[in-house]
Every structure is written in C-alpha cells, then in structure tokens.
Amino acid sequence: MSANTTEFKHVSYLWDEAKAADLAGDEVALLIYRSNLLGADLRLTNYGGGNTSCKVMDKDPLTGNQVEVMWIKGSGGDIGTLKKSGLAALYVDRLRSLKNVYRGVEHEDEMVELFNHSIFDLNSKAPSIDTPLHGFLPFKHIDHLHPDAAIAIAAAKDGQKITQELFGGTIGWVEWQRPGFDLGLKLRECLDSNPGIRGIMLGSHGLFTWGDTAYESYINTLEVIEKCAEYLEQSYGQKGPVFSGAKIESLDDAARKKQAAALAPVLRGFCSSQVKMIGHFTDDTRVLEFINSNDLDRLAPMGTSCPDHFLRTKISPLVLDIAPDADLTDVSALKEKLAPAFAQYRQMYTEYYNTCKHDNSPAVRDANPVVILYPGVGMFTFSKDKQTARVAAEFYINAINVMKGAEAISEYTSLPRQEAFDIEYWLLEEAKLQRMPKPKALSGRIALVTGSAGGIGKAIAKKLVQEGAVVVLNDMNAERLQGAGEEFKGLFGKDSYTTAILDVTKADQIQDAMDIAALAFGGVDIIVNNAGLSISKTIQDHTEKDWDLLYDVLVKGQFLVTQAAVTVMRKQDIGGDVINIVSKNALVSGPNNAGYGSAKAAQLHLSRLNAAELGGDKIRVNVVNPDAVISDSNIWAGGWAEGRAKAYGVTVEELPAYYAKRTLLNEIILPDDIANACFAITGGLLNKSTGNVINVDGGVAAGFVR
C-alpha cells in the first residue's frame, strides 16, 4: 500500500512531509513526532498504552566514541502527548549485555533495576518494563501499540492461524507472556526464526511493527492495522448478528440521560464505600450495542484481554439487573435492590484476590467495581479522579471492540485469572502506584459553586479545583460562563470542570445543574451558595420589585439549591458540605440596607436551621461572612458602590480604603480570602464542625457572632 491518505479507511494518516522535513536529521525529534501522530488516533492505541522507540548513534560522553543509543517512551507516559522529557535513553550494548546476568522468568523484577545501569541520558525518564522488547530487536524505529483491530485477532481463539493466513507469514506470533526481559528474548527468537517479517503479534496483548526510518515505521504500522481492521470489517455479520443480536432496545437519548442522572449518585455511593470516587457516564453506540446484546451475560464476566485494559477497568464489570425504564424515584427500594449486587461483586473480587495471591502480593485493593453496565442506558465508570474514570471508559470501549472483532472472526478468549492477577498485583505495578503523588485534600470531591463564572464564585471554584476537587461552573450569563470554562480548561484541563446555565430562582435549572453534575461526575459533595446581588436604597426608595429580587436570589435561591443538593447527597449517603456565602450585613445594621441586610440575616438563620436538620445525614452546613469584597465582584455593579459611598460620605474610589480602615486588621478583603475560608471548611481539618460562621471581613467588631 502506498502512503496515500485516501487509501486508509480505518486509521488516520497524519504525516505532514513539511513538518517532518523540518526535523530531518534529528531521529529523536522524528520519534516524538511519529509517536504523537500515532497517539492522536485512539483506533491505534489507548491512552498511556504502548510505546515507541528509535536507535541512533551518538557520542559517548565518557569515551568520546560513537555508541548506539535507544530512545524509548519512559514508564507511565502517553505517546500522544510525549515530549523528550518523557523518554528514556539507554546504551544498547549495555542493555543487551544484561542477558548475561538474567536468571530467568522467576527473577524478572530484578532486571528493571538493572536497566538503570544502561542509562545514557542522565535526564531520562524511568525505563519501562517494555524496554528489552525494543532493545533486542535490531530495527532503528519500532512501534508497540494496542490497536483494537489487532488485539481482536490476538485475543481470538484461532489468532495465530488467522495472523498467519491474513499476512502470509509476514507477521510473526509470540504467545501471551507477561512483559519483561524474557519476552524481549522471545521477540528476538521470533525474528530470527522468521527473517524478513514486518511485525510480530503478541497473543492477547498487542502489536510490534518497525522500519528503518520514522516514516517507514509509521507507514508499516498503519498498513498492518488497516489490514486487520479491514479483515474485521468484512467479517462482521458473516457468522451471525454482532454479539448474537439485540436482546433489549435502548431508551431514547433524553430518557437514557434522565435514568443515568437519577442512578449515578446511588452507584457512586456504593462505589465510594472505601474512598470517594468520581464518575463518568457514556452511552456511546458501541457501548449500547454490547450491553443490549444477547452475548452480554456470556462475555462480560470473562473480563478483558489486553493488560492495559484490565489494569484500568478491573477484572470484569458489574452488570445491573434493572429494567431500562425502571422507576428510580424510590431511592430506598433502589438501594435495597442494588446492595446484594455490590456485595456479590466485592465477594467475587475478594475471592479472585485470595485465590491468586502470592506470599509477597500487595494487600487487596478496593473491591468495588470500576465499570458498571446498565443495559438499555449506558456505562458508568468510577475512579479516583475524572480523568482516570473517563480513561477507564475509553479502555472498556477498547475491550468491547476487541470482543466484537474476536467473536466475528473466531471466538473471544480472555486472560486466565492468574495471569490477570499477576499483572494487576505485580510488585512493579504496585511500586509505580506508590510513587504517584499523594491525593490532594479534596480529591474525589465534587463541588457546585453558584455564580462561579466570576468574582468570589470563580475564586472559590479555582481554589477547590487546585485542592483536588472537580467543579460545576455555572452562571446566568452564557457568554460569561463560556469564558470561565475556557479559563478553567487552560488552567486545569478538561477533566476539572463542567458547566451549567443556572438561575438560582428557577427550580428546573437547578435540577438540570444537578443532573449535569451527576452525568459528568456522579453527583455532588460540596455546595457553595454564592450567587447574589445587592441593592442599597433608603427605605422610601426601596421598591417591592427590589425586595422580591433580593429575597428570591439570596434566600429562596439558597433554599432551592440546598434542597436539590440534599436529594443528591442522600442518594450517595456519604455526607457533604453546604457553605453559604452570607455577609457581615447579616449581623450588622447600617443605613440604606433594609432589603439586602434582612435577606442576609434570613440566609444566616436558614443556614442554622439546615445544619440542625441535616447533621444526621453527615451533611455539614456552615457560613462564610465576607465584607467589602470589591475586586471583580458583581455586587459592586448596578449602583451598589455608589449607594454605599453615599451612605458613608466618601467617594467610590475611596471605598476600599474606607472599608479597610474600619477593620481591626486594616486589611482589604479579596475573593481569594473567601475561597481560602471555603477550603478551610472542606479541607478535612473541620470535619466535625457544622452550624458555624467564619467572618472574613478584616475584623468588624459589630459583626462578631458572640
């Protein structure tokens, strides 16, 4: 096949000759370029999966002699986003000489430490377990990927035979074996026994392809995967309907979303029995085809094949026995129905651990499911953060694609349980987990901050995300909200937030926001009632419209948002936080402030009432009382600043200094100060406090609660 974009139907040809020409002569730069192109197409490999390498001649910094150096993706990286800092560079001769001290498969793990003695570049990322798989092959450029189309063949019962026939002997075959030094030796044996082959299929695992240049490797990789995908495409429906046909029909799109939003917080509560989890939901057509099929009950318990898949998704999913259109409004009955299913899953996972564990195996991990399938509706995934939950969903879709392909051409086979366990509880994998940064204070927490597209609300949302939470940004103004979303994406990434148009006086928009939180993250843990406005007028100038607006936004809005959030929190049954941003004016009387001040007082007492009622649910309700937060605050628009300046006999420009001078600390209060107070309440040190008021006003004696 020639390198022509139009000739690839199942993979993306992305090579830009002009860009590559700019990199000519720099093989490492071309490696990174090729890697990024391969990683950009999820049909070629999954997030974080696979690795790429190149071998170059370079000057040994110790001897000045030319030596062969292999650059390869380091441990834990992703080829789609790979940079030079993510590569490891090793002396090829030193790496290959390690076979002289290799003691056999029982001693695989000790070899990883020895890789460090082969390091060429002192800025290297830690070499991955796949390093010898590339090192023992002689080719200048090598791609090891996990394309669904290839794994479908690799995981098929007749995979070796199909590979031989499909490629006419030009692709070798190595049976499943855990990655490591011995597998590298097996790849070289395969090549020596089959000179002239263009690649090797790893049983149940993935694909190795290569070339003398970055471009040749890239094209070879695309051509092999294209051929696999085309073969699968022609095979679908030949033996019979995909997955033996549909057993049930999906609900329509709106109904699926409604059911998922209603169910997600309940599922999240069960999955968070040990650690608070973040959720992800998808009703991708590939998911629906599988979960609605006759083969679901046979294939789902088998688990996945590729190691990368089950490391992300656990050994198998939990399949819910709930009708797609079931009434989910009776939460108690729903939990009663689901509890045995979760108990059974945890027992299955614990038995899997106890049956397969070794004397030196790490302790059993969280036994809750990662993947939960709801036939007719979609797939939920739960993990420690949004990105990990989202990627788990992507990996299970990869697994579905593999099962679909393998079943179309032969019969799907999964890894034996012991092999799967030896990967999942591999001491090297455990060491990698232990090296990961410790969770932040708010990891696993979901926050909804009303009015969070600007001012105090945005500052609070930023602080919560910086401390590990995910957040539902919201505002009445769509343009302002979009800008805030783009800012958060740039600062924190797409998995840190979602958005919702929200007018806190409208119950339907509040419910929509809660549903958005449930679909995006699984529910909600932290509510910050921050949305507000202010009107400063004399009692004669105050209109009924002014009064109603203040009470609707400040008091009714706080009530409605809290009410809706409590419904979600009770579904989760893992507690929660409600923080109400009130004001010094709830406690201090001042001129021209009848509507705003009395509404703030109502907010404060409503907080106390809610705290008294919700303690039994472990839902804590606390208040932050700011004062004179002028910077980037909507409160100061619409004449409020002019009104307060007039009331105090100063100019608008003099207001910040005026407010600061009247405080005990002589400080100007900023949005970040309010954000810090919200974190102080939610960050873990005040978990046994509720019904409290924290004044963030620089010290106003008249505003002291006691």
Side-chain angles (χ1 to χ4, degrees):
M1 180 183 291
S2 62
N4 188 317
T5 308
T6 59
E7 293 182 358
F8 292 107
K9 296 192 302 181
H10 303 284
V11 298
S12 299
Y13 177 84
L14 302 174
W15 193 274
D16 185 316
E17 291 186 8
K19 288 184 179 178
D22 289 340
L23 305 174
D26 188 341
E27 295 301 306
V28 177
L30 285 166
L31 163 65
I32 295 168
Y33 177 62
R34 180 179 93 242
S35 302
N36 293 164
L37 297 187
L38 294 172
D41 186 351
L42 288 178
R43 294 173 295 182
L44 300 181
T45 198
N46 29 46
Y47 177 84
N51 36 63
T52 48
S53 69
C54 75
K55 299 183 185 75
V56 299
M57 298 303 294
D58 206 340
K59 185 173 75 171
D60 189 328
L62 298 180
T63 67
N65 297 329
Q66 288 290 302
V67 291
E68 190 175 21
V69 177
M70 182 174 75
W71 292 80
I72 182 171
K73 188 198 85 170
S75 178
D78 170 55
I79 63 172
T81 55
L82 186 65
K83 296 180 175 60
K84 191 170 184 178
S85 59
L87 293 171
L90 303 95
Y91 291 92
V92 174
D93 60 347
R94 293 187 189 179
L95 178 65
R96 290 175 180 167
S97 71
L98 291 177
K99 64 184 178 184
N100 298 323
V101 297
Y102 178 52
R103 299 195 293 155
V105 291
E106 306 84 17
H107 306 281
E108 281 281 0
D109 292 6
E110 72 184 21
M111 301 307 291
V112 176
E113 287 295 323
L114 294 178
F115 294 165
N116 293 324
H117 291 281
S118 303
I119 293 294
F120 172 83
D121 181 70
L122 297 183
N123 294 318
S124 282
K125 187 86 170 172
S128 78
I129 191 66
D130 283 335
T131 300
L133 281 65
H134 293 252
F136 285 112
L137 294 173
F139 307 103
K140 298 298 184 186
H141 289 265
I142 300 175
D143 299 326
H144 167 43
L145 303 180
H146 299 139
D148 295 345
I151 301 177
I153 296 172
K157 185 177 181 181
D158 304 310
Q160 184 173 2
K161 178 184 176 185
I162 292 169
T163 300
Q164 170 70 25
E165 293 175 352
L166 181 61
F167 290 98
T170 61
I171 296 290
W173 177 276
V174 172
E175 287 290 352
W176 159 259
Q177 184 172 319
R178 192 174 70 173
F181 203 83
D182 191 66
L183 185 56
L185 297 174
K186 291 279 200 311
L187 288 176
R188 183 57 192 250
E189 289 174 14
C190 179
L191 176 65
D192 291 343
S193 301
N194 301 275
I197 56 176
R198 64 191 296 192
I200 297 173
M201 192 80 79
L202 301 181
S204 296
H205 183 158
L207 179 68
F208 264 81
T209 40
W210 48 70
D212 287 332
T213 68
Y215 183 72
E216 287 179 17
S217 188
Y218 180 71
I219 288 301
N220 187 29
T221 297
L222 292 192
E223 288 178 352
V224 171
I225 298 171
E226 175 79 10
K227 194 172 184 68
C228 293
E230 184 63 29
Y231 175 64
L232 297 182
E233 189 69 29
Q234 294 172 356
S235 301
Y236 292 132
Q238 295 300 309
K239 289 171 54 181
V242 171
F243 293 132
S244 299
K247 182 178 181 180
I248 63 170
E249 289 187 11
S250 296
L251 300 178
D252 64 48
D253 180 70
R256 292 197 302 272
K257 300 293 195 294
K258 180 181 178 182
Q259 288 292 85
L263 184 60
V266 178
L267 297 178
R268 180 172 180 248
F270 278 109
C271 288
S272 299
S273 60
Q274 291 189 34
V275 177
K276 284 188 173 67
M277 295 291 185
I278 301 293
H280 177 80
F281 172 76
T282 178
D283 53 2
D284 184 285
T285 54
R286 294 166 293 182
V287 171
L288 293 173
E289 181 181 52
F290 177 62
I291 66 177
N292 295 349
S293 74
N294 284 298
D295 282 346
L296 173 67
D297 292 340
R298 175 175 65 88
L299 293 174
M302 291 176 67
T304 58
S305 167
C306 178
D308 278 47
H309 295 175
F310 66 72
L311 277 174
R312 299 277 188 165
T313 64
K314 269 208 171 81
I315 191 67
S316 59
L318 170 61
V319 180
L320 300 179
D321 181 20
I322 303 176
D325 59 352
D327 182 358
L328 304 180
T329 55
D330 188 338
V331 177
S332 295
L334 179 60
K335 289 182 178 180
E336 190 174 335
K337 181 176 179 60
L338 288 173
F342 275 86
Q344 185 177 4
Y345 187 95
R346 292 166 185 151
Q347 181 181 355
M348 176 278 294
Y349 186 83
T350 303
E351 289 176 355
Y352 153 73
Y353 174 86
N354 289 332
T355 301
C356 298
K357 69 178 180 179
H358 305 286
D359 291 342
N360 61 346
S361 292
V364 65
R365 301 191 185 116
D366 192 332
N368 286 302
V370 171
V371 179
I372 301 175
L373 306 178
Y374 185 2
V377 176
M379 172 171 68
F380 302 87
T381 46
F382 291 92
S383 197
K384 61 178 183 175
D385 55 44
K386 174 64 179 182
Q387 185 197 42
T388 310
R390 174 179 58 78
V391 170
E394 293 174 2
F395 271 77
Y396 199 76
I397 291 175
N398 291 134
I400 290 172
N401 293 339
V402 168
M403 288 186 274
K404 178 179 177 178
E407 287 287 305
I409 59 176
S410 174
E411 184 180 328
Y412 172 69
T413 61
S414 59
L415 280 182
R417 284 295 201 254
Q418 187 64 57
E419 292 292 332
F421 179 89
D422 289 347
I423 289 283
E424 185 178 356
Y425 282 88
W426 199 353
L427 292 177
L428 294 177
E429 189 67 30
E430 177 69 13
K432 188 189 297 184
L433 293 174
Q434 293 300 323
R435 288 196 302 269
M436 295 182 72
K438 296 301 180 187
K440 293 184 178 181
L442 298 183
S443 291
R445 305 283 289 279
I446 305 162
L448 188 152
V449 183
T450 63
S452 44
I456 294 173
K458 186 161 71 172
I460 295 169
K462 282 183 178 179
K463 180 65 177 179
L464 299 183
V465 172
Q466 287 165 351
E467 298 295 342
V470 291
V471 68
V472 182
L473 298 174
N474 58 87
D475 200 271
M476 292 170 58
N477 184 313
E479 184 177 350
R480 183 176 163 98
L481 180 59
Q482 182 181 356
E486 291 171 355
E487 181 182 352
F488 271 63
K489 185 176 182 179
L491 289 172
F492 309 116
K494 66 179 182 179
D495 292 313
S496 66
Y497 75 99
T498 190
T499 61
I501 295 292
L502 178 57
D503 178 343
V504 299
T505 68
K506 296 180 178 178
D508 58 337
Q509 290 190 13
I510 294 171
Q511 186 56 53
D512 288 345
M514 296 299 164
D515 288 349
I516 287 170
L519 289 173
F521 303 125
V524 71
D525 301 297
I526 300 170
I527 291 292
V528 183
N529 283 302
N530 164 78
L533 78 160
S534 49
I535 298 171
S536 175
K537 292 182 180 179
T538 66
I539 195 165
Q540 282 85 4
D541 292 337
H542 225 301
T543 66
E544 185 177 351
K545 182 180 178 181
D546 295 333
W547 183 273
D548 288 343
L549 180 60
L550 285 166
Y551 272 77
D552 280 350
V553 172
L554 299 176
V555 186
K556 187 169 77 171
Q558 177 179 308
F559 168 73
L560 291 176
V561 171
T562 302
Q563 185 182 53
V566 167
T567 299
V568 176
M569 291 177 181
R570 282 176 167 160
K571 282 185 176 182
Q572 296 169 156
D573 198 22
I574 52 176
D577 276 286
V578 177
I579 301 175
N580 297 320
I581 307 300
V582 184
S583 171
K584 172 260 316 183
N585 289 285
L587 297 163
V588 178
S589 301
N592 303 349
N593 202 18
Y596 180 78
S598 62
K600 286 295 176 181
Q603 279 188 284
L604 177 59
H605 195 53
L606 178 58
S607 303
R608 296 189 187 105
L609 295 168
N610 290 161
E613 182 175 340
L614 300 174
D617 298 294
K618 302 296 183 183
I619 299 172
R620 304 175 309 119
V621 185
N622 292 288
V623 167
V624 174
N625 274 352
D627 185 42
V629 184
I630 299 174
S631 173
D632 193 29
S633 174
N634 276 343
I635 287 182
W636 297 92
W640 173 263
E642 288 83 354
R644 301 321 293 158
K646 183 178 179 181
Y648 297 124
V650 298
T651 66
V652 171
E653 291 73 22
E654 293 171 328
L655 265 180
Y658 172 83
Y659 279 124
K661 286 179 180 177
R662 74 180 189 181
T663 69
L664 300 174
L665 301 177
N666 195 20
E667 294 281 1
I668 294 174
I669 310 304
L670 301 172
D672 286 348
D673 298 319
I674 312 307
N676 289 335
C678 292
F679 174 60
I681 291 170
T682 57
L685 297 180
L686 297 177
N687 281 349
K688 296 180 180 178
S689 295
T690 191
N692 289 322
V693 177
I694 296 180
N695 291 333
V696 186
D697 55 12
V700 178
F704 290 173
V705 178
R706 293 185 177 87

